[in-house]
Amino acid sequence: MALLAFCKTPAGPVRVTRLQVVLYCFIFFLIIYFLRGRNIAVSIKSPRLIVHDLGKSKERLKTHVSTKTTAPPMPLETSWGAPLVWGDSSKSARRRAKLAEREIRTGLVALVVGTYAKFVRRFLLSAETYFLPDQMVTYYILTDNPRTLDPPVKLGPGRKLTVIYITELPGWSRLTYRRMSLLVDTIRSPISKEVQYVFCADVDQEFVAPVGAEILGDLVATLHPELYGMPRNTFPYQVEEFSVAHVEDDEGDYYYTSELYGGKVSHVYMLAHACSLLILQDQANGVMARGLEESYLNRYLINHRPTRVLSPEYSWWVSDMAADVPVQRLVSLGRQCGALDQDKRDKIRC
């Protein structure tokens, strides 16, 4: 009846056949179906948009972790053309095969002071199994107590251990003031004379899957697992201008973890030297960036973009915020243990 009324003109009703009525009805329902489908489609927000609406606070993000329904994509390259490394990708396999033909010695540096001594043997034993397997590696352990390594860890062919005594650095905040400067001194001697590449790792970690030659590059940084795939406004950059680690709103591509970084010796020396100067400058003004050493590392990497970026496979821990990754290769026991109750801490030997 509505269609018949619609077909009237000022001159009177228009004669409409039954076939025309059926045809009009068919067209009418097609239009309604199309419009309803468009309304439904635009009403659904993607998980990324929902996360973006949560704002800058990491704590608020944790309360909305259920909105992260899918794993972030796995790009193989950054916006500036640097490889973004996933261990099982074909690119990583080709790089391992290429570098296997060369004799390369790589250093792995870890700082072992105070209570962190309980992690060192586990760290070294796991590195012997998974860190650059079948390659030449020198471990540089900076420690206030060399007896921590008694009895010595048995090393495989082509592997060496160098223990460097340092004075005790009580308190984590004091340690963060000096770690970069200690790395500078260690690179000057003996590292620069012995290896081509060097990586710095927190000792309260464990290698749990192969970390091969795919990681080797001029300047290498690792993506923070809890911030990978998150919008830039959630990154805990130093936003207060009183610190030299300050990051402007329009700066920064990723947020990098301080759990693992490295590269060619000359590039890591420049990084450590620059960061140590920034830390000293803030220290002279009675300031420490809120992310401690990690803030200065990220400040440097904004100005000097890494030539190779490691995916969160190479720095991971159990967390509601941690990115889903195909393989967990290096796990932070320290960060993971901090979120567990005592029973679970005992179970994984925190």
Side-chain angles (χ1 to χ4, degrees):
M1 295 299 294
L3 284 174
L4 290 173
F6 176 75
C7 293
K8 289 182 179 181
T9 68
V14 176
R15 183 177 296 278
V16 180
T17 67
R18 180 173 295 180
L19 179 60
Q20 287 175 314
V21 171
V22 172
L23 181 60
Y24 291 153
C25 288
F26 180 73
I27 294 171
F28 178 78
F29 284 113
L30 275 180
I31 293 171
I32 295 299
Y33 180 80
F34 176 75
L35 290 176
R36 290 183 65 189
R38 289 292 297 269
N39 288 339
I40 291 172
V42 298
S43 68
I44 298 177
K45 288 188 178 181
S46 68
R48 179 68 65 86
L49 289 175
I50 293 173
V51 172
H52 181 77
D53 291 339
L54 297 179
K56 298 183 179 180
S57 169
K58 186 176 176 182
E59 293 302 318
R60 289 177 62 199
L61 279 170
K62 289 182 179 180
T63 65
H64 292 269
V65 70
S66 60
T67 63
K68 192 175 179 179
T69 56
T70 59
M74 293 170 52
L76 299 178
E77 193 174 86
T78 68
S79 61
W80 61 93
L84 205 165
V85 180
W86 303 87
D88 290 337
S89 70
S90 58
K91 284 188 175 182
S92 291
R94 288 196 297 269
R95 185 159 182 81
R96 286 192 293 270
K98 179 181 179 180
L99 294 179
E101 302 170 1
R102 296 167 49 189
E103 285 193 0
I104 300 172
R105 181 167 286 280
T106 302
L108 182 60
V109 181
L111 185 60
V112 183
V113 297
T115 59
Y116 285 88
K118 65 183 178 182
F119 293 106
V120 65
R121 299 187 72 83
R122 190 170 176 177
F123 175 80
L124 288 173
L125 289 171
S126 68
E128 274 296 280
T129 302
Y130 294 117
F131 182 72
L132 297 177
D134 302 321
Q135 292 203 25
M136 296 183 294
V137 173
T138 299
Y139 304 108
Y140 296 96
I141 302 300
L142 284 60
T143 181
D144 60 322
N145 182 12
R147 296 185 62 183
T148 298
L149 293 163
D150 291 337
V153 174
K154 186 177 180 180
L155 304 179
R159 321 285 274 204
K160 291 172 53 180
L161 174 63
T162 298
V163 179
I164 300 171
Y165 176 75
I166 59 172
T167 56
E168 185 178 0
L169 304 171
W172 178 251
S173 60
R174 289 189 62 183
L175 176 61
T176 59
Y177 279 121
R178 286 193 56 195
R179 188 152 71 162
M180 283 293 185
S181 61
L182 287 170
L183 179 57
V184 169
D185 292 341
T186 308
I187 290 176
R188 285 198 189 112
S189 180
I191 288 178
S192 62
K193 303 173 184 177
E194 298 178 347
V195 300
Q196 294 113 304
Y197 295 89
V198 61
F199 283 82
C200 309
D202 285 355
V203 75
D204 56 344
Q205 298 184 96
E206 183 176 20
F207 293 91
V208 295
V211 173
E214 73 275 3
I215 71 171
L216 299 180
D218 289 350
L219 181 60
V220 183
T222 307
L223 297 179
H224 194 292
E226 292 185 325
L227 296 165
Y228 174 64
M230 294 297 183
R232 185 237 175 261
N233 66 353
T234 63
F235 297 168
Y237 288 136
Q238 179 69 30
V239 295
E240 292 79 13
E241 296 184 3
F242 54 73
S243 170
V244 294
H246 169 67
V247 175
E248 298 286 352
D249 290 341
D250 59 349
E251 293 183 300
D253 306 284
Y254 298 105
Y255 191 83
Y256 304 100
T257 177
S258 59
E259 302 281 335
L260 180 70
Y261 57 92
K264 286 186 176 178
V265 169
S266 59
H267 286 75
V268 179
Y269 178 83
M270 288 188 290
L271 178 153
H273 186 258
C275 288
S276 65
L277 291 179
L278 292 176
I279 292 170
L280 287 173
Q281 188 174 339
D282 266 359
Q283 186 180 17
N285 295 321
V287 172
M288 172 56 82
R290 63 174 177 168
L292 305 179
E293 177 192 83
E294 203 166 73
S295 291
Y296 300 97
L297 175 68
N298 274 273
R299 175 65 268 175
Y300 182 86
L301 293 172
I302 288 173
N303 294 339
H304 308 82
R305 282 171 164 167
T307 60
R308 204 163 191 82
V309 176
L310 305 184
S311 71
E313 289 183 336
Y314 299 88
S315 178
W316 198 88
W317 55 87
V318 174
S319 164
D320 290 339
M321 296 294 295
D324 295 324
V325 295
V327 180
Q328 300 153 18
R329 300 181 185 278
L330 180 58
V331 174
S332 173
L333 300 173
R335 300 212 194 198
Q336 188 165 294
C337 289
L340 300 177
D341 59 34
Q342 190 59 50
D343 289 342
K344 291 181 179 178
R345 287 166 62 90
D346 293 341
K347 187 175 180 180
I348 66 171
R349 294 178 292 133
C350 287

